[in-house]
């Protein structure tokens, strides 16, 4: 049902309440949910088996597959680990085939509003290529923790463009200012935090091992 800024249903000129067309975010969630169903079916897993492998509850997995919720970054990271994909690879599978030249307006953007995280696939992954370039934005106060990499041994280069970013790789903590670059191979937990007072923007190069 269509909502106004105050959250009330909005009628049309005849007074009939109308349903809006799903927005880009809702459409992406629907395609993503369908792809998650396909990946689970390809492996012959039940929701219970996937829950055991990922550490995510059956109810959350079911709602994500039915597009009743928009998956968080942490949830997608766990599923990517189980399915052996990077996050960009998974998201690219629900988008059209990426072109060699990707204009700004065509770069897929995914947002985890609850975490204050926006992820732009600057150069979406492509079959046969090992590297991709991502732009990340963390709002002041945002704090995202990943318990494992989507692919063990994943190579990452983080170049901070604006603000300050705190990155923890396993137990090593690094504070990065504008212009600083951190290079790492990811085997265990990582954490990205923007203490503020301003948002942080960074470029992330991801290279499959």
């Amino acid at each position: 049902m269509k909502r106004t800024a105050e959250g009330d249903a909005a009628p049309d000129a005849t007074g009939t309440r109308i349903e809006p067309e799903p927005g880009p975010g809702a459409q992406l969630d629907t395609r993503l949910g369908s792809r998650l169903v396909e990946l689970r079916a390809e492996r012959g897993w039940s929701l219970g088996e996937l829950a055991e492998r990922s550490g995510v509850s059956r109810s959350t997995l079911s709602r994500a597959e039915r597009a009743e919720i928009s998956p968080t970054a942490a949830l997608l990271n766990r599923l990517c680990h189980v399915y052996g994909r990077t996050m960009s690879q998974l998201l690219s599978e629900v988008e059209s085939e990426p072109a060699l030249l990707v204009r700004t307006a065509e770069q897929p953007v995914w947002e985890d509003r609850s975490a204050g995280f926006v992820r732009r696939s600057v150069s979406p992954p492509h079959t046969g290529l090992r590297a991709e370039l991502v732009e990340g934005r963390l709002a002041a106060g945002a704090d995202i923790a990943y318990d494992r990499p989507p692919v063990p041994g994943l190579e990452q280069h983080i170049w901070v463009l604006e603000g300050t970013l705190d990155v923890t790789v396993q137990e090593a903590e690094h504070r990065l200012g504008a212009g600083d670059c951190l290079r790492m191979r990811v085997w265990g937990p990582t954490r990205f935090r923007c203490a503020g007072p301003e948002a942080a923007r960074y470029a992330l190069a991801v290279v499959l091992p």
Side-chain angles (χ1 to χ4, degrees):
M1 187 174 293
K2 188 175 181 180
R3 299 287 175 179
T4 63
E6 290 76 22
D8 298 326
D12 63 9
T14 66
T16 303
R17 300 196 181 276
I18 57 178
E19 295 284 347
E21 290 296 323
Q27 295 172 4
L28 176 59
D29 286 343
T30 299
R31 295 196 300 270
L32 180 57
S34 297
R35 182 55 182 152
L36 292 176
V37 172
E38 292 173 354
L39 289 170
R40 182 167 60 82
E42 288 171 4
R43 289 156 178 77
W45 297 341
S46 66
L47 278 172
E49 288 175 303
L50 179 58
E52 291 181 2
R53 293 171 181 271
S54 65
V56 179
S57 70
R58 285 185 50 169
S59 61
T60 298
L61 292 171
S62 177
R63 294 184 68 195
E65 289 186 354
R66 297 198 303 269
E68 293 179 356
I69 60 172
S70 182
T72 64
L75 171 57
L76 284 184
N77 185 72
R78 288 191 173 211
L79 293 177
C80 284
H81 177 81
V82 171
Y83 291 132
R85 286 161 165 76
T86 66
M87 191 180 298
S88 287
Q89 284 178 315
L90 176 60
L91 293 175
S92 73
E93 291 172 7
V94 298
E95 296 288 346
S96 58
E97 183 72 12
L100 295 179
L101 174 61
V102 187
R103 304 293 185 185
T104 300
E106 300 169 347
Q107 295 167 2
V109 177
W110 181 79
E111 182 175 3
D112 182 348
R113 293 185 179 180
S114 63
F117 175 48
V118 178
R119 188 180 199 278
R120 176 185 293 274
S121 292
V122 180
S123 61
H126 192 278
T127 303
L129 300 179
R130 296 173 54 232
E132 61 189 88
L133 186 62
V134 174
E135 177 193 46
R137 293 176 181 266
L138 282 180
D143 190 343
I144 301 179
Y146 301 106
D147 59 355
R148 71 198 77 174
V151 178
L154 193 67
E155 180 182 349
Q156 295 187 341
H157 301 252
I158 304 170
W159 181 27
V160 176
L161 305 175
E162 299 174 5
T164 302
L165 183 67
D166 293 325
V167 181
T168 303
V169 186
Q170 294 179 301
E171 297 181 357
E173 298 182 2
H174 309 273
R175 168 155 290 193
L176 308 178
D180 293 343
C181 182
L182 175 65
R183 178 170 55 188
M184 59 188 185
R185 292 287 296 275
V186 186
W187 297 96
T190 55
R191 178 184 179 190
F192 293 73
R193 186 170 66 92
C194 176
E198 300 176 348
R201 185 170 70 92
Y202 58 93
L204 174 65
V206 181
V207 185
L208 290 172

